[in-house]
Amino acid sequence: MESSKHLNSPTHELFRQVVEAAPNAMVMADRDGRIVLVNAQAEKMFGYLRDDLVGHSVDMLVPERFRSAHPQYRRMFYGNLSSRPMGTGRDLFALRKDGSEVLVEIGLNPVTTSEEVFVLAAIVDITERKRAEQELIRRTEELARSNHDLEQFAYVASHDLQEPLRAVAGPLQLLQRRYHGQLDARADEFIAHAVDGATRMQKLIEDLLAYSRVGRSGATQELASCTTALDQALKSLSVVLQESHAQINRDALPVVMGIPTQLALLFQNLIGNAIKFRRLDQPVRIDIGARRERDEWIVSVKDNGIGIEPQYFERIFMIFQRLHSRAEYPGTGIGLALCKRIVEQHGGRIWVESGPDGGSTFFFTLNAKLDGSART
Ligand code: ADP
C-alpha cells in the first residue's frame, strides 16, 4: 500500500489496516486535495490501481462539470472541520477510470495527525438504491392513477347505468302491475323474475354510486353533530325500525369535524345491518355509545343479532364480500365497505368485535380535535 510521507508510524499502519478493512470505498486526501490513501474497495469502485490514485488530485474522481467547484467545497470543509455527509441535498457523481459515472453518497471525516489534517471520504455506490427509490415513486404514482381511473370508471358506469336500467325496470313493473293474472302462470313467473333482477340491479348500482361518491364528493369537513347524524339515520330507517320493534339505546354523542351526510350514512348502514342480521328468537336491541380516548372518540354500535365469526372480521369490510346468500339475507355486500371508506375519509378506523354470547359490536374512531389537526 502506498502512503504519503506523513503516514509511516505504527499507529498510521494500524489506521491504514482499518481503512483497508472497511466495506466501503475510502479515499483520504490532504489539504491540497492530493490523495494519500485508498483502500481496495476504492480501487474496485473507480477501476484504478492504487498507484494510479495515490499522489494525484482527488479531482480525477470528480466529473469534469463539477471539478471547478470542488476546491471551494474543500476549503469550506477545512474551514469548519466536522464529520458530515458531502453535498447534502444534491446528487453526487463520481468518475470512474473508464469515463462512466456512478451515483454516490459520501461521508467526510477529518483525520488529524500531529502535522496535518486530512479528509477521509467514505464513498457508497447508491445507484441501485436510487433506482429502487425511483421505481417505488413510479409505482406509487401509477397505483394512485389507476385507483383514480378505477374510481372514475365505477362512478361513471354506475351513474350512466341508472338511466337505461330505469327504462327496463319501469315498464317491467308496469307490466307486472297491469297484466298480472291476464297472461298465463309461466308469464307471471318470468315477469316476476325480471322485476326482481332489475330491482336488485338498481339497488346494486345505487350502493355502488354511494360508495364511489364518498371519495369524490369534494365536501369539506365542518362541525358535525353525531347526534344529528344518528337522528337522520334513524329517520331513514323508520320503516324497518317499526317493523322489527327495535329498541334503540343511545348515549350522548360528540360533535366532530366531519361531513354530516356521510356520518348519517355510516350510522344508517351499521344500524340497518344490526336490524337485518337480527336473531328471530328475541327482540332487537341496539346500543349506540361513545367514549373519548385521548385525541379520538370511539363510537360503538352494538347489537344482539346473529354475530360474526372472528375469521370474517376483516373480510366483511371488503366490497362485495358477504357471509350469507341473498335468499337468507338480502344485500349487495357494499354497506360495510362504504362505512370503512367514510371512516377512513375522516381519518379514523373501523373494526368489529363479536363474542361467543352472540351479537356484534362495530367500533369506529373519529378525530376529537375540532380543528381537524389530527386528521391523517
Ligand atoms: P350486506 O349487508 O349487503 O351483506 P355489508 O357490507 O353491510 O353487506 O355486510 C357484509 C357482511 O357482514 C354481511 O353479509 C353479514 O354477513 C356481515 N354483517 C354485517 N353486519 C352484521 C351484523 N350487525 N351482524 C352480523 N353480521 C353482520
Side-chain angles (χ1 to χ4, degrees), residues 137-330:
I137 292 172
R138 195 187 61 75
R139 280 195 194 191
T140 311
E141 282 172 358
E142 203 175 277
L143 203 65
R145 205 172 31 246
S146 81
N147 250 344
H148 177 263
D149 289 353
L150 205 64
E151 263 180 29
Q152 183 74 7
F153 171 77
Y155 178 76
V156 171
S158 44
H159 185 266
D160 291 5
L161 279 174
Q162 276 189 318
E163 173 62 34
L165 188 57
R166 239 178 263 135
V168 175
L172 271 177
Q173 280 157 357
L174 273 179
L175 195 64
Q176 189 178 42
R177 236 178 295 143
R178 296 229 184 121
Y179 294 92
H180 184 79
Q182 295 184 32
L183 307 165
D184 63 17
R186 294 298 296 274
D188 282 350
E189 193 189 320
F190 293 156
I191 293 170
H193 274 312
V195 168
D196 181 45
T199 313
R200 261 195 350 248
M201 194 148 158
Q202 269 178 325
K203 174 75 180 130
L204 191 66
I205 286 174
E206 236 171 63
D207 287 358
L208 210 51
L209 203 53
Y211 180 81
S212 48
R213 270 196 186 121
V214 171
R216 41 179 297 132
S217 75
T220 46
Q221 303 216 346
E222 54 187 88
L223 281 181
S225 154
C226 288
T227 305
T228 311
L230 176 58
D231 286 341
Q232 257 162 24
L234 295 177
K235 205 164 136 199
S236 311
L237 291 166
S238 57
V239 175
V240 276
L241 281 167
Q242 264 172 16
E243 277 171 8
S244 61
H245 305 291
Q247 184 196 338
I248 309 270
N249 304 304
R250 49 195 285 187
D251 284 354
L253 296 180
V255 170
V256 295
M257 286 304 288
I259 301 167
T261 49
Q262 291 191 3
L263 293 176
L265 207 54
L266 174 61
F267 279 117
Q268 187 180 322
N269 273 281
L270 293 178
I271 296 168
N273 276 350
I275 297 169
K276 180 160 63 171
F277 298 103
R278 64 179 178 264
R279 286 170 55 155
L280 297 175
D281 57 353
Q282 59 186 28
V284 183
R285 186 195 148 120
I286 302 169
D287 298 292
I288 299 143
R291 65 171 201 275
R292 187 168 175 160
E293 260 182 30
R294 288 187 294 276
D295 279 349
E296 57 185 23
W297 286 103
I298 301 179
V299 182
S300 53
V301 177
K302 176 177 162 52
D303 65 46
N304 61 346
I306 60 171
I308 302 165
E309 305 238 5
Q311 70 262 35
Y312 302 123
F313 282 1
E314 306 246 323
R315 198 173 112 186
I316 55 171
F317 292 99
M318 292 175 190
I319 196 161
F320 301 134
Q321 292 292 335
R322 316 194 62 231
L323 307 181
H324 307 276
S325 71
R326 255 196 337 271
E328 289 173 287
Y329 297 96

Side-chain angles (χ1 to χ4, degrees), residues 46-109:
F46 293 108
Y48 285 106
L49 290 174
R50 224 168 276 243
D51 288 351
D52 299 335
L53 291 166
V54 174
H56 294 89
S57 167
V58 280
D59 287 353
M60 68 190 284
L61 305 176
V62 179
E64 182 105 38
R65 63 189 183 286
F66 301 117
R67 236 173 248 173
S68 62
H70 206 227
Q72 167 71 3
Y73 285 126
R74 201 158 48 237
R75 267 195 300 280
M76 277 160 61
F77 180 79
Y78 274 95
N80 175 19
L81 285 175
S82 63
S83 297
R84 69 181 109 133
M86 181 174 167
T88 315
R90 58 194 163 96
D91 283 340
L92 292 179
F93 294 91
L95 183 66
R96 288 206 191 93
K97 184 178 181 184
D98 65 7
S100 64
E101 292 187 9
V102 49
L103 199 56
V104 289
E105 197 169 75
I106 301 180
L108 296 177
N109 305 277

